[in-house]
Amino acid sequence: MDGRRVVRRSALAVLGLGLLANGYVLGRGGVHAQPRAVTPRGPLEADEAAHVALFKRVSPSVVHITTTQAQRDFFSRQVFEAPAGTGSGFIWDEDGHVVTNFHVINGASSAKVLLSDQSEYAAQHVGSFPDRDLAVLRIEAPADKLRAIAVGTSRDLQVGQRVYAIGNPFGLDFTLTTGIVSALNREIEGMNRRSIRGAIQTDAAINPGNSGGPLLDSAGRLIGVNTQIYSPSGASAGIGFAIPVDEVNRVVPRLIRDGRFIRPSLAIRPGNARLSRALNLPKGVPVVLVQEGSPAARAGLQAFRQRRDGDIEPGDVITAVGEVAVADWDDLLTELEKRQVGESVRLSLWRSGRTRQLSVLLRAEQP
């Protein structure tokens, strides 16, 4: 009897294996089930195909950046490298320069760059400009791995234009999100409280880890560097900001050339808002010090001075640089940063109710 049971069980086992091999599953009540046939989908929609093509074309130019920070063990006093953070970046040129946000590498003792093919390289810091939250790294990678990103322009962007962001949110490598330009010419605050003007606002999902990654137009060209999100929760809330590429294209070559952004200077010291209110001065930058022997001093720029009797000797208020009006010191610095050391700049000045113009040669800002 036991032998017959064994035979029957063996037969059922063989039958079950045969059914499984043919895609059948024996369910409750003896009902047989099998996977559904796949329905052919046909070609992708035009916009889907465009998304796929753009990602395949541009993702080799995007990198994942990880940083470490030197720390000392409390008990052994030995120094070790601890993970500091992650971010995104992109390959700027065939020489291995990588652009990212300054806040991604700020305070780091070392950084590594992961390419889209998962190869990793130690990065060397080339230069930074905290005022614009930009930094440049460099990696020693084979030329065939260095796919420089295509650079576009931000001056002709329009609200409603489609945009794409590629980055590494929450450490998830090479993630694509899409949206539109939701506003232009936003003003955001940089790390050192300097204003970053002309920022691009987008609703493309930007999360922690996207910082330093590219914002792209539908042609796959760089139009901005993702830098900040506005979110009470710390995650994407549909409002992200990018540094416009025209600003990036102005700053990055100087960082590569000089290792830092050398701001052209007038060699002056500005007065504060309290002085302007006390003297009922117009909008602009009141000058309270002109460095002796500087081009500005030689050109005749005059500072406000307090005489021995306590009265204020009238000085100049800078109201415009070229054709652009300046309302404060931040405005003035922004305009000077658009120029080069050695360039002559025309200033519009106000003094005691009279206006005049003066050309001043710019020199390098002193450390």
Side-chain angles (χ1 to χ4, degrees):
M1 189 70 177
D2 291 341
R4 287 196 296 274
R5 288 178 181 172
V6 170
V7 170
R8 281 200 298 272
R9 289 174 181 170
S10 299
L12 287 171
V14 170
L15 177 61
L17 290 172
L19 290 171
L20 288 172
N22 286 283
Y24 289 90
V25 179
L26 188 62
R28 290 178 298 175
V31 177
H32 297 281
Q34 61 180 339
R36 292 284 308 278
V38 175
T39 302
R41 67 143 289 140
L44 295 175
E45 296 291 336
D47 61 336
E48 294 177 301
H51 299 340
V52 172
L54 182 142
F55 181 76
K56 287 181 178 179
R57 186 169 71 252
V58 182
S59 59
S61 301
V62 182
V63 305
H64 186 186
I65 299 171
T66 56
T67 60
T68 59
Q69 195 171 43
Q71 296 186 5
R72 187 182 296 275
D73 185 84
F74 181 79
F75 296 102
S76 68
R77 310 307 293 167
Q78 291 183 338
V79 176
F80 65 96
E81 293 288 327
T86 64
S88 305
F90 52 89
I91 298 171
W92 180 258
D93 58 26
E94 289 78 8
D95 293 326
H97 292 109
V98 172
V99 174
T100 186
N101 282 149
F102 171 70
H103 76 256
V104 169
I105 55 99
N106 185 33
S109 54
S110 66
K112 290 185 177 180
V113 169
L114 181 74
L115 303 183
S116 61
D117 65 357
Q118 300 302 303
S119 58
E120 191 174 58
Y121 299 89
Q124 173 191 0
H125 178 246
V126 174
S128 298
F129 188 37
D131 287 17
R132 293 294 177 267
D133 198 15
L134 291 171
V136 177
L137 307 175
R138 188 171 185 273
I139 59 173
E140 295 284 351
D144 60 347
K145 291 180 180 286
L146 297 173
R147 293 273 297 275
I149 200 163
V151 175
T153 181
S154 49
R155 71 175 62 92
D156 57 1
L157 292 177
Q158 300 180 64
V159 174
Q161 232 179 287
R162 179 171 291 168
V163 292
Y164 302 81
I166 302 179
N168 308 285
F170 305 109
L172 300 172
D173 294 351
F174 307 103
T175 299
L176 172 70
T177 57
T178 184
I180 61 169
V181 173
S182 53
L184 292 167
N185 297 316
R186 293 303 196 200
E187 185 171 321
I188 58 177
E189 189 175 277
M191 290 190 61
N192 55 2
R193 300 191 177 279
R194 280 287 313 282
S195 295
I196 300 175
R197 297 171 184 181
I200 304 164
Q201 180 182 310
T202 177
D203 68 348
I206 296 174
N207 284 292
N210 274 113
S211 291
L215 187 69
L216 309 161
D217 64 12
S218 56
R221 305 179 309 161
L222 178 73
I223 57 169
V225 177
N226 299 318
T227 185
Q228 291 182 17
I229 59 173
Y230 177 78
S231 170
S233 67
S236 176
I239 300 179
F241 300 100
I243 304 164
V245 69
D246 292 348
E247 186 85 353
V248 177
N249 209 6
R250 183 174 60 81
V251 172
V252 167
R254 297 199 202 183
L255 295 180
I256 293 173
R257 183 189 66 193
D258 302 320
R260 63 189 181 96
F261 189 89
I262 301 175
R263 182 188 286 118
S265 171
L266 291 170
I268 65 170
R269 184 186 302 163
N272 55 32
R274 188 170 59 182
L275 174 68
S276 295
R277 288 193 300 268
L279 299 180
N280 196 28
L281 301 177
K283 278 188 177 181
V285 179
V287 179
V288 297
L289 175 70
V290 180
Q291 202 167 92
E292 289 185 17
S294 67
R298 292 195 296 270
L301 199 64
Q302 183 172 308
F304 286 87
R305 294 185 181 90
Q306 188 172 19
R307 294 195 292 254
R308 291 184 179 179
D309 60 7
D311 288 341
I312 300 297
E313 184 176 332
D316 289 319
V317 177
I318 302 172
T319 58
V321 177
E323 301 299 325
V324 180
V326 293
D328 53 31
W329 181 238
D330 194 45
D331 281 354
L332 180 62
L333 291 179
T334 298
E335 289 307 308
L336 293 182
E337 286 163 4
K338 297 176 183 178
R339 271 83 175 171
Q340 297 280 347
V341 172
E343 183 179 337
S344 180
V345 64
R346 189 177 76 258
L347 303 178
S348 296
L349 306 172
W350 180 97
R351 187 196 302 175
S352 298
R354 295 183 178 182
T355 60
R356 63 193 176 107
Q357 291 189 333
L358 201 67
S359 291
V360 178
L361 199 67
L362 298 176
R363 72 176 198 181
E365 185 178 55
Q366 300 302 308

